[in-house]
């Protein structure tokens, strides 16, 4: 296992290096100029030289390779440059925005698992009953409802009409735990319901498949109650494919996190990265894409480890 | 601005909406006197403001850098809470209201004598005086400090300290826009002490003179400002309790619908609305809604030096093909005024003789035929890819289509449209701007060869001569005539197709007291800062 | 044997499966008894309903698609088909244990073998920790798993097919059940291990007076171990007799065919093997009358019209046939 993780980490490093170069190339291929774009909307209209000055300030007047070399040399020493769109140090920006996003992801995953897995199990157990149909419809809605619409509806319902939750905003947990939880309830729910719907469907079909297996009949023949059969015998094997879905959902959450963070005014990485792409804010783009890659790689690794835990056949093979 | 962004216009709109009052129109100087004698500073006798509460507002973006001369600054409204400018514009956007400066007088076209207010201190306790302003201006002009405003201060040659509160500014050439520049970014007074100590730190730890000082900054999330107990204006105006709020809380809320939800939920106290939101909230019993002219002109920009629009008949055909009234009703929710030229109707440089270009599709068809395009004309261009941008582009495309002009319009993100603009790679493109200070930058930016939005797409010698004349003429009345003339030339040449002048809508919770729309429209910024807002009973 | 107390009495058991094509009657009106210490063999061609019968006894037929349409299963006087969920769970794995046919898939791949063997003991006998461990080790030893202590921590995929089947048997014997239902317990195994395991089961029967229902289509095994034999064809029991009796004097044409089609140890190898002509009937299109008649060399008109019921033709010997052929 240890060797396996080591090899995977090595892979991750290589992929990271490739992504870094790729991001750089893509950023260069993207049409438009970040500084000009950002400044065109600012109040200085007569003075074209202002754009040049800012470009110089960010080193964008240098040849591409020099820019890349500079960036890389500074990046490895922890200096990730300065955001073109926001003027903040990218490293600080990144670190500050990491925890809201992590909290969002975590909360969303809790919702997703908390809703998706029970819904999937109930759906599988009460297969084709009214409950199952209701759940299937619910998960379909969960998957297909536009996040934006869902968010606005929930905000109006729970913050304006029945004002129990704040409409938006983020308060760090350590500043005000209760307000933090209250303000994260809706965003995590909105982000979580999407993967919850997906998860429920996977859990349902995976569990149905497992419940048809011979070893479940064996467990029943031992005298276990239906619940014990599911908990002790069916759930673990049924979770094997589901873990992949959870991992995928987590890896894909950054996309969803953008909307959710924008809508709920959460100062997180999702909002930061997409802003960066629109603004062609190269230093921020680099940092976030590396983070995205790292996230995906780490999640894959975690999924693999979990796989090993859940499925002894895989554990030995590696 | 490049015109695109209706979105940014809102942000900036609020800034411009907080610019000040007329004193002695026509004079090239701004003379002061006691604050309480100024017409814009007169209070309604019935107003009995009370202290207390944090005023909560929303910003679309986090402020960015808090030194206004460092790029980027994304929230100029908040900037105004802790930094004040030497001058304000009046209700006609004329830079005539002395604020931190007490008086400004042109001794000759290349020399200005400026007297500063007494008793003003920066948030770090240092004195606002001639020496601090001199240091600040030299700081801006020193390239190593990376002030993007350096170019704006280019005509400045030197500053001489006459006495602790008096400065003599000397210019390399006549500089009519000086007052205008002082109402703009370089005019924000910054603590010389703080700048000297650490110019970079100033970006996150600003020391202005304003009514609020920075309490806490959470980048990307919020700004918390607290009441400045030593605000000079409180003493000078005889209202020692100003400002009346304990502080201001600016939350960054990017989504407009969520901003409105926050207002309706009572989580923020004031909001500049999206036009689309106006109808939904105008009768909300919990809100007071105010409309006033904004400082944004929306228009379509022709490439008059390359391609088909060198022919004035075709520019004319486009301009007459557009039903501006329908465009405003259909895309701006009625919240705009039909534009007739580059400066808005309430701007001192707008020529009141000019009437909006008539909607006359038959004339357009005739002109097209005359120019040899009876069978249709295809032109290309771009427009912002925002939701509103798409609607406008689609509407205009349809109107042009009806007279036989096919507009191949690309909907672009700002970075891409900036490149297209730079390369003058269009026939007809988005082309609005937000007018925020002196008329020269607008005129130069759009029509002078060195302009940051021109890049060779417009070269009208008559206009260029007028732009250059406008820069030099320090007599406001004569200067006004120059810009009126320039507007006339632009209008007759169909240099661009101007569409509308914006309107801004703000909503306040009923709890917020003190806003008087007439006073604001008349005196703008000066009125705004001289008239406090407060919470009824001092409670949020 | 016949005087031993009756443990299980199955009457008119009918099991349906609702398939996409239509309703299959997998077990049709089956009745039989099982006594203490008796080894009862259930034989028949693949698909004739042996497993379905066995599963139905413990109400383990998957529903849907299956359903016990009618009948009764009396275990020590208690009708299992009408017992409460709690009651039947108390019997499953405890009083009546099942050893399943597919050793490769009948063990849970993600749980250790030790745990799976221990579960019935935990559940029914409340064994924990040390006691449980010891018992499991003993069980594994009894089915000749080498190094049982170490093997307990292993997973099924680390076991060979034969070892897995032995694990299944150990699992079934754990609670010293009154009845073991072994559904082809040795199909996957080579002959020596086969014999070993069957011997093991026989020992269990003898020492604990356990009843064993042995499902197989290996007639050799039947001959060697079984006391009684029920021959099934197309969901019905067509012949029921003492094992010796059956081998000596099969009375149903299907049984006769069956015996002729397999090599017998008590006959010279030269004796001709004759396969039964034709195919077992399609469960969806059961022929009218006796299900075997299309393949039966002795069929008469009545066979085509009317299905025969089981009738006594000798002491403890019954057949379902209109014609009484003396094989
Ligand atoms: N889950 C099921 N769904 C549909 N039909 C089934 C199902 N299980 C069994 N059957 C049908 O019931 C009949 C009897 O099946 P059963 O498994 O009892 O046969 P068997 O005698 O055990 O055969 P084998 O010797 O191959 O194990 C067959 O026709 C089979 O197709
Ligand atoms: Mg079977």
């Amino acid at each position: 296992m240890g060797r396996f993780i080591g090899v995977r980490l090595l892979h991750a490093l290589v992929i990271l290096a490739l992504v870094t170069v790729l991001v750089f190339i893509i950023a260069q291929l993207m049409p438009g100029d970040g500084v000009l774009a950002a400044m065109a909307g600012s109040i200085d209209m007569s003075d074209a030289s202002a754009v040049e000055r800012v470009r110089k300030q960010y080193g964008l007047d240098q040849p591409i390779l020099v820019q890349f070399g500079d960036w890389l040399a500074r990046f490895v020493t922890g200096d990730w440059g300065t955001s073109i769109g926001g003027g903040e140090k990218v490293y600080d920006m990144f670190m500050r925005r990491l925890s809201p996003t992590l909290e969002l992801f975590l909360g969303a995953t809790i919702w997703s698992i908390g809703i998706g897995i029970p819904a999937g199990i109930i759906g599988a157990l009460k297969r084709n009953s009214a409950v199952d149909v209701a759940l299937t419809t619910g998960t379909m809605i969960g998957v297909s409802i536009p996040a934006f619409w869902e968010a606005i509806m929930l905000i109006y319902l729970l913050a304006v009409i029945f004002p129990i939750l704040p409409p938006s905003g983020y308060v760090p947990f350590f500043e005000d735990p209760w307000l933090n939880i209250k303000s994260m309830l809706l965003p995590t729910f909105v982000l979580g319901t999407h993967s919850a719907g997906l998860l429920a469907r996977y859990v349902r079909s995976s569990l149905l498949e497992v419940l048809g297996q011979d070893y479940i009949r064996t467990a029943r023949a031992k005298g276990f109650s239906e619940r014990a059969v599911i908990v002790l015998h069916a759930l673990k094997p049924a979770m094997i494919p589901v873990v992949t879905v959870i991992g995928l959902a987590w890896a894909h959450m950054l996309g969803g996190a953008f909307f959710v963070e924008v809508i709920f005014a959460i100062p997180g990485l999702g909002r930061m990265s997409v802003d960066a792409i629109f603004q062609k804010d190269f230093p921020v783009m680099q940092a976030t894409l590396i983070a995205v890659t790292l996230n995906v790689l780490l999640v894959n690794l975690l999924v693999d480890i979990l796989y090993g835990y859940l499925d002894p056949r895989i554990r030995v093979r590696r | 601005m490049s015109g695109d962004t209706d979105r940014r216009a809102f942000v900036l709109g609020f800034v411009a909406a907080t610019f000040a009052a007329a004193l002695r129109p026509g004079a090239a100087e701004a003379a002061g006197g006691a604050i309480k004698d100024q017409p814009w500073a007169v209070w309604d006798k019935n107003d009995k403001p009370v202290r207390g509460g944090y005023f909560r507002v929303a910003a679309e973006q986090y402020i960015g850098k808090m030194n206004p001369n460092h790029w980027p600054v994304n929230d100029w409204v908040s900037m105004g809470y802790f930094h004040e400018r030497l001058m304000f514009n009046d209700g006609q956007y004329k830079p005539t209201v002395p604020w931190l400066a007490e008086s400004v007088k042109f001794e000759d076209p290349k020399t200005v004598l400026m007297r500063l207010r007494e008793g003003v201190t920066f948030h770090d306790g240092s004195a606002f005086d001639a020496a601090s302003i001199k240091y600040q201006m030299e700081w801006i002009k020193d390239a190593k400090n990376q002030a993007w405003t350096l170019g704006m201060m280019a005509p400045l040659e030197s500053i001489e300290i006459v006495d602790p509160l008096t400065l003599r500014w000397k210019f390399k050439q006549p500089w009519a826009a000086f007052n205008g520049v002082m109402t703009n970014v370089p005019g924000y007074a910054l603590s010389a002490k703080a700048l000297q100590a650490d110019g970079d730190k100033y970006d996150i730890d600003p020391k202005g003179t304003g009514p609020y000082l920075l309490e806490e900054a959470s980048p990307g999330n919020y700004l918390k400002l607290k009441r400045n107990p030593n605000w000079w204006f409180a003493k000078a105006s005889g209202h020692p309790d100003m400002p009346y709020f304990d502080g201001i809380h600016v939350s960054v809320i990017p989504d407009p619908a969520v901003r409105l939800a926050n207002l309706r939920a009572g989580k923020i106290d004031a909001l500049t609305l999206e036009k689309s939101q106006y109808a939904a909230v105008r009768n909300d019993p919990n809100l007071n809604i105010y409309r006033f002219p904004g400082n944004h002109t929306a228009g379509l920009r022709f490439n008059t030096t390359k391609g088909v629009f060198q022919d004035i008949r075709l520019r004319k055909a486009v301009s007459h093909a557009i039903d501006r009234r329908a465009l405003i009703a259909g895309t701006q929710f009625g919240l705009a005024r039909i534009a007739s030229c580059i400066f808005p109707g309430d701007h001192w440089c707008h020529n009141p003789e000019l009437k909006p270009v008539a909607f006359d599709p038959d004339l357009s068809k005739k002109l097209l035929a005359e120019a040899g395009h009876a069978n249709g004309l295809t032109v290309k261009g771009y427009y912002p890819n925002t939701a509103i941008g798409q609607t406008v582009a689609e509407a205009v495309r349809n109107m042009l289509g009806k007279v036989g002009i096919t507009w191949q319009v690309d909907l672009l993100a700002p970075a891409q449209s900036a490149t297209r603009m730079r390369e003058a790679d269009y026939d007809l493109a988005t082309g609005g701007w937000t007018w925020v200070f002196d008329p020269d930058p607008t005129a130069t930016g759009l029509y002078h060869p060195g302009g940051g939005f021109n890049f060779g797409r417009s070269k009208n010698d008559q206009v260029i001569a007028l732009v250059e004349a406008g820069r030099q003429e320090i007599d406001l009345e004569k200067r006004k005539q120059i810009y009126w003339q320039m507007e006339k030339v632009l209008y007759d040449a169909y240099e661009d197709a101007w569409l509308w002048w914006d309107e801004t809508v703000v909503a306040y919770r009923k709890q917020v007291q003190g806003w008087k729309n007439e006073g604001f429209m008349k005196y703008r910024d000066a009125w705004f800062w001289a008239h406090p807002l407060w919470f009824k009973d001092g409670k949020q | 044997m016949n005087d031993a107390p009756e443990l299980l009495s199955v009457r008119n058991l009918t099991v349906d499966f609702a398939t996409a094509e239509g309703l299959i009657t997998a077990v049709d009106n089956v009745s039989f008894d099982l006594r203490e210490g008796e080894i009862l063999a259930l034989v028949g061609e693949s698909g004739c309903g042996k497993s379905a019968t066995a599963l139905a006894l413990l109400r383990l037929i998957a529903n849907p698609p299956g359903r016990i349409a009618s009948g009764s299963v009396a275990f020590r006087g208690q009708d299992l088909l009408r017992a409460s969920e709690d009651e039947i769970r108390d019997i499953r794995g405890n009083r009546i244990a099942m050893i399943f046919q597919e050793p490769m898939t009948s063990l849970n791949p993600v749980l250790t073998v030790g745990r799976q063997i221990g579960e019935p003991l935990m559940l029914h006998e409340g064994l924990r920790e040390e006691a449980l461990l010891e018992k499991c080790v003993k069980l594994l030893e009894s089915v000749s798993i080498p190094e049982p202590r170490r093997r307990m921590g292993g997973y099924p995929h680390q076991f060979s097919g034969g070892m897995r089947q032995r694990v299944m048997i150990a699992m079934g014997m754990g609670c010293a059940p009154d009845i073991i239902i072994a559904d082809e317990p040795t199909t996957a195994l080579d002959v020596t291990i086969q014999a070993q395991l069957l011997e093991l089961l026989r020992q269990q029967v003898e020492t604990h007076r356990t009843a064993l229902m042995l499902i197989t289509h290996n007639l050799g095994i039947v001959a060697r171990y079984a006391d009684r034999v029920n021959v099934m064809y197309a969901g019905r029991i067509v012949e029921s007799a003492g094992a010796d009796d059956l081998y000596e004097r099969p009375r149903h044409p299907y049984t006769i065919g069956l015996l002729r089609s397999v090599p017998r140890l008590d006959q010279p190898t030269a004796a001709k093997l004759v396969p039964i002509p034709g195919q077992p009937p399609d469960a969806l299109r059961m022929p009218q009358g006796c299900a075997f008649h299309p393949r039966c060399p002795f069929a008469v008109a009545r066979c085509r019209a009317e299905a025969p019921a089981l009738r006594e033709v000798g002491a403890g010997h019954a057949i379902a046939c209109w014609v009484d052929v003396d094989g």
Side-chain angles (χ1 to χ4, degrees), chain B residues 48-65:
Chain B
K48 298 275 182 289
V50 276
R51 282 278 325 274
Y54 265 76
F55 187 56
R56 299 156 309 168
V57 294
E60 181 183 343
Q61 275 181 290
Y62 182 71
I63 188 165
K65 296 195 170 169

Side-chain angles (χ1 to χ4, degrees), chain C residues 11-275:
Chain C
R11 290 291 170 274
N12 308 327
L13 184 65
T14 301
V15 177
D16 293 335
F17 285 100
T19 68
E21 290 84 25
L23 199 72
I24 291 174
T25 304
V27 178
D28 190 0
N29 223 355
V30 162
S31 303
F32 63 90
D33 297 315
L34 190 59
R35 290 165 199 281
E36 254 178 38
E38 181 183 40
I39 299 182
L40 170 69
L42 195 56
V43 297
E45 282 168 307
S46 183
C48 70
K50 305 183 294 291
S51 297
T53 305
L55 289 170
L57 301 184
L58 282 176
R59 292 198 344 222
L60 289 171
I61 295 283
N63 178 2
R67 177 178 71 108
I68 298 173
S70 65
S72 68
V73 176
F75 171 66
R76 294 188 188 279
Q78 181 188 13
D79 186 352
L80 297 185
L81 300 187
R82 278 153 199 89
S84 73
E85 269 300 311
D86 282 347
E87 287 165 344
I88 188 89
R89 282 208 303 266
D90 208 40
I91 286 165
R92 284 180 193 157
N94 185 19
R95 299 325 328 138
I96 303 178
M98 273 200 85
I99 296 167
F100 287 100
Q101 180 170 11
E102 300 87 2
M104 309 306 277
T105 55
S106 291
L107 287 172
N108 193 324
V110 304
L111 301 177
T112 61
V113 163
R115 167 154 171 207
Q116 296 189 59
I117 293 176
E119 274 174 345
L121 297 165
M122 263 174 19
L123 191 64
H124 299 295
E125 303 194 345
L127 291 189
R128 294 287 182 276
E129 295 167 24
E130 269 311 295
L132 182 63
L133 188 83
E134 287 311 314
K135 182 78 196 258
C136 291
V137 170
K138 255 203 212 103
L139 280 170
L140 283 178
E141 264 168 358
S142 72
V143 292
S144 316
I145 300 280
E147 291 186 81
R149 220 168 269 277
R150 188 177 67 78
R151 284 301 202 154
M152 296 238 315
Y155 288 89
H157 70 272
Q158 296 161 321
F159 286 64
S160 71
M163 281 161 92
R164 277 187 237 182
Q165 191 57 286
R166 276 182 272 167
V167 168
M168 288 289 301
I169 291 172
M171 218 157 73
M173 298 192 317
C175 293
D178 296 335
I179 300 173
I180 295 177
I181 301 169
D183 192 349
E184 302 190 30
T186 58
T187 328
L189 310 180
D190 67 57
V191 188
T192 39
I193 297 172
Q194 225 177 58
Q196 205 181 351
L197 288 180
L198 288 167
E199 212 49 57
L200 197 77
L201 284 170
R202 175 142 75 185
Q203 243 166 47
Q204 182 81 10
V205 167
E206 273 161 18
T207 48
H208 293 88
R209 302 227 10 102
T210 308
L212 176 65
M213 183 166 146
L214 187 64
I215 297 173
T216 181
H217 35 220
N218 185 331
L219 289 170
I221 290 174
V222 175
R224 177 170 301 176
Y225 295 98
D227 300 318
R228 285 191 67 79
V229 184
N230 285 337
V231 180
M232 275 188 88
Y233 185 81
R236 288 173 166 246
I237 292 181
V238 292
E239 182 155 11
S240 173
D244 299 337
D245 195 10
L246 187 89
Y247 275 82
E248 270 162 35
R249 277 190 304 134
R251 304 281 285 271
H252 193 283
Y254 174 63
T255 316
I256 296 166
L258 206 59
L259 288 174
R260 281 208 191 122
S261 68
V262 293
R264 285 180 65 163
L265 293 173
D266 55 354
Q267 279 186 356
T269 38
K272 263 203 321 250
L273 292 181
V274 187

Side-chain angles (χ1 to χ4, degrees), chain A residues 32 36-40 43-45 47 52-55 57 84-85 87-88 96-97 148 159 167-168 170 262-263 265 267 271, chain B residues 1-2 12 65 71-72 74 146-148 151 185 219-221 252 254-255 258 262 265 267 415 418-419 422 442 445 452-453:
Chain A
L36 185 65
M39 291 204 74
I43 55 180
D44 179 56
M45 319 199 301
D47 183 11
E52 289 317 314
R53 264 195 302 286
V54 172
R55 194 176 279 129
Q57 181 187 332
I84 297 174
E88 268 183 88
R96 207 173 302 112
R97 284 155 177 256
F148 177 81
S168 67
Y170 176 78
V262 167
I263 292 168
R271 197 169 111 201
Chain B
M1 53 179 286
S2 67
L12 295 170
K65 296 195 170 169
W71 192 85
N74 298 316
Q146 300 186 317
W148 66 270
V185 178
N221 197 6
V252 178
D255 188 82
V258 178
N262 273 274
K267 300 287 179 189
T419 306
R422 222 173 150 74
T442 302
F453 296 110

Side-chain angles (χ1 to χ4, degrees), chain B residues 302 307-320 364 367-373 377 379 400 405 494:
Chain B
F302 292 116
V308 290
F309 288 125
Q310 293 174 74
D311 186 339
I312 186 176
R313 289 171 301 183
L314 293 177
R315 300 204 293 271
K316 239 172 134 167
V318 166
S319 204
H320 283 288
S364 294
L367 288 163
L368 277 168
E370 272 174 32
H373 294 283
L377 169 68
V379 294
L400 296 181
I405 301 171
Y494 287 81

Side-chain angles (χ1 to χ4, degrees), chain A:
Chain A
M1 201 71 186
R3 209 183 77 100
F4 160 64
I5 292 175
V7 169
R8 293 300 298 250
L9 281 177
L10 210 71
H11 280 188
L13 268 177
V14 173
I15 292 174
L16 262 183
L18 283 176
V19 166
T20 323
V21 177
L22 224 90
V23 169
F24 197 87
I25 294 170
I26 291 169
Q28 298 307 323
L29 291 179
M30 267 167 62
D33 174 319
V35 171
L36 185 65
M39 291 204 74
S42 87
I43 55 180
D44 179 56
M45 319 199 301
S46 59
D47 183 11
S49 72
V51 176
E52 289 317 314
R53 264 195 302 286
V54 172
R55 194 176 279 129
K56 194 166 169 190
Q57 181 187 332
Y58 288 100
L60 298 175
D61 53 337
Q62 300 286 323
I64 290 167
L65 273 177
V66 176
Q67 280 186 47
F68 184 61
D70 274 1
W71 175 83
L72 195 64
R74 280 186 286 116
F75 188 85
V76 292
T77 63
D79 178 0
W80 295 5
T82 305
S83 156
I84 297 174
E88 268 183 88
K89 286 254 178 263
V90 176
Y91 182 83
D92 298 349
M93 199 169 165
F94 188 87
M95 289 306 161
R96 207 173 302 112
R97 284 155 177 256
L98 186 61
S99 49
T101 299
L102 277 183
E103 196 186 336
L104 185 67
F105 277 29
L106 224 68
T109 307
I110 292 172
W111 277 115
S112 160
I113 291 176
I115 296 173
I117 291 187
I121 293 175
I122 294 170
L125 294 188
K126 312 259 175 217
R127 176 183 44 207
N128 300 332
S129 70
V131 183
D132 182 30
V133 172
L135 280 171
T136 309
T137 318
T139 53
M140 278 291 290
I141 292 171
V143 170
S144 49
I145 192 173
F148 177 81
W149 191 85
E150 182 187 354
I152 296 293
M153 289 298 129
L154 283 173
I155 289 173
Y156 267 94
L157 187 69
L158 294 174
V160 178
I161 300 172
F162 305 106
I164 25 184
L165 298 174
S168 67
Y170 176 78
V171 180
F173 183 81
F174 293 106
E175 230 167 71
D176 186 342
W178 177 230
L179 191 57
N180 170 274
I181 290 168
K182 280 207 321 191
S183 59
M184 287 309 266
L185 228 48
L186 285 185
T188 50
F189 180 79
V190 169
L191 190 59
T193 40
H194 265 238
S195 37
L198 206 67
L199 203 59
R201 277 157 58 172
Y202 271 91
V203 169
R204 182 180 180 273
S205 66
S206 173
L207 193 58
L208 275 180
E209 195 187 316
V210 166
L211 285 177
Q213 297 292 316
D214 290 339
Y215 56 81
I216 294 303
R217 196 177 55 194
T218 310
R220 290 199 180 110
K222 285 176 180 174
F224 278 122
S225 68
E226 200 54 30
R227 185 184 310 160
V229 166
I230 286 159
V231 173
L232 299 175
H233 280 260
L235 228 38
K236 201 172 157 190
M239 280 305 119
I240 294 170
V242 172
V243 161
T244 318
V245 179
I246 295 175
L248 271 177
W250 176 285
H252 280 237
M253 252 182 219
L254 203 64
F258 165 63
F259 289 105
V260 170
E261 287 179 1
V262 167
I263 292 168
F264 289 98
I266 295 168
L269 286 177
R271 197 169 111 201
M272 183 180 92
S273 42
V274 180
D275 276 353
I277 290 165
F278 282 139
Q279 294 171 355
K280 223 189 159 206
D281 189 341
F282 166 70
V284 178
M285 237 154 85
Q286 276 287 22
T288 51
L289 280 166
I290 287 170
V292 171
T293 315
L294 215 69
N295 179 46
V296 172
L297 292 173
L298 283 179
V299 164
N300 278 347
L301 190 67
L302 206 73
V303 165
D304 281 341
I305 292 171
L306 261 176
Y307 246 90
Y309 162 73
L310 287 173
D311 193 343
R313 289 166 291 192
I314 289 171
R315 212 178 308 166
V316 168
R317 213 183 303 144
R318 288 188 171 140

Side-chain angles (χ1 to χ4, degrees), chain B residues 523-538:
Chain B
Y523 299 116
R524 292 271 163 173
D525 241 359
W527 183 91
F528 183 84
W529 291 111
H531 291 78
L533 299 176
W534 70 92
F535 286 123
K536 198 172 171 177
D537 309 324

